[in-house]
Structures are given as structure tokens and as C-alpha cells.
Amino acid sequence: YQRRVHGELNTDEYSFFLKGGQVYDKESQTPNPCSGWLSEKSWDNIYELDKLLAFHGIASSFEQMPSQWRELYLNPTPELGMLPGDWSMKFDDLQKMIMIRCIRPDRVVFMSTKFIEENLGKKYTEPPSFNLNEIYEDSSPMYSALI
């Protein structure tokens, strides 16, 4: 288990955020306790996520608190909401992003943008300025401007 050291991300958690979980033995997996609203792909990710130390018990929390997880799932901006139980207090920003990615992958872009702005600054999420005069001045017959 790797933890953040000197501001670096936990590589296992970061990898999970990028790739999700891969189920190798579907037969031994606990059935989806929230199959009425949670997709099998989401459950696969949650089940695999439970294997990471910081997330132990997350799968069983879906069995114990299905209505709270469903409420978060239905939230139009779940990344701004609180996770059920004491999970919000246990998780750092990346861990919360991983959890939201599992249940609402449609919110990844919004979460990532917010994470980058808070940790690196807005200049990394805003498009560069577009000044037509500067572009024209930089162009020449040898180097045309593509707009």
C-alpha cells in the first residue's frame, strides 16, 4: 500500500482512477446489491476498488446503506455532495474522485477540472487567449496563420 509522499499521488489509486477495476473471477464476486440502479460495470469497479487498502469495506457499505448511495448517484453534481457514512472523512480528493468515477463516470471531466484547478491552478484548465492581432503579427508569407 502506497500513500502520498511529498505531494505525490498514490500510484495504485491513480492507476485505478485512470483504468478502473478489472474483474478476473466474476464467479467469486458478491452480487450487485443495488442492481435496480447501479450498473454491473459500476459494481465491478466498486468490488475491485474494495481491494485497495483505503477502500476496504466500500463494497459492503453498498449493502448496508443502499439508499444513501442511491441518493448520491441521483445527485446531479455528486462530486460536490457528501459520501455516505464516514467515507467523506476518510477520503482525500483523489479517493473521492475514484469513488464518484465508479458510480457516475459521466462526472469525471468535471471532477478532474476541479481537482486540477484546486491543486495546480486555473491556468491549467482555461484555454489560451485568442488574439487575432498577435497571430497576424507572428505570421509571414513563409509561415501562414491557421485559424
Side-chain angles (χ1 to χ4, degrees):
Y1 175 72
Q2 298 177 341
R3 206 57 224 140
R4 287 184 184 204
V5 179
H6 306 294
E8 295 180 13
L9 298 176
N10 173 312
T11 54
D12 293 335
E13 292 174 2
Y14 182 66
S15 178
F16 195 98
F17 179 73
L18 295 176
K19 301 176 196 172
Q22 181 65 42
V23 178
Y24 294 106
D25 185 12
K26 193 88 164 149
E27 290 179 14
S28 68
Q29 180 176 319
T30 306
N32 181 349
C34 304
S35 59
W37 56 269
L38 186 66
S39 73
E40 285 305 310
K41 182 170 177 59
S42 290
W43 178 245
D44 290 348
N45 280 318
I46 292 162
Y47 189 80
E48 291 302 308
L49 184 61
D50 196 272
K51 295 176 181 176
L52 297 179
L53 186 60
F55 295 90
H56 283 322
I58 197 74
S60 63
S61 75
F62 277 78
E63 295 171 29
Q64 298 161 357
M65 302 180 282
S67 60
Q68 290 96 326
W69 282 110
R70 185 172 190 272
E71 187 177 321
L72 182 69
Y73 172 80
L74 294 174
N75 185 332
T77 54
E79 68 277 8
L80 302 177
M82 296 290 288
L83 299 176
D86 60 353
W87 291 107
S88 283
M89 292 181 286
K90 290 181 179 181
F91 290 165
D92 61 27
D93 291 342
L94 177 62
Q95 292 165 337
K96 183 175 181 182
M97 287 173 49
I98 293 167
M99 193 61 244
I100 299 297
R101 178 201 185 280
C102 288
I103 60 172
R104 288 286 303 277
D106 61 306
R107 301 304 297 173
V108 168
V109 171
F110 302 100
M111 291 185 305
S112 299
T113 301
K114 182 178 179 250
F115 183 83
I116 291 167
E117 287 175 352
E118 290 176 356
N119 290 281
L120 300 174
K122 273 191 173 254
K123 70 179 182 178
Y124 293 101
T125 61
E126 295 176 350
S129 63
F130 179 78
N131 185 325
L132 195 53
N133 288 331
E134 286 179 15
I135 293 171
Y136 179 76
E137 288 173 12
D138 287 342
S139 67
S140 72
M142 299 287 291
Y143 302 102
S144 61
L146 297 176
I147 300 175

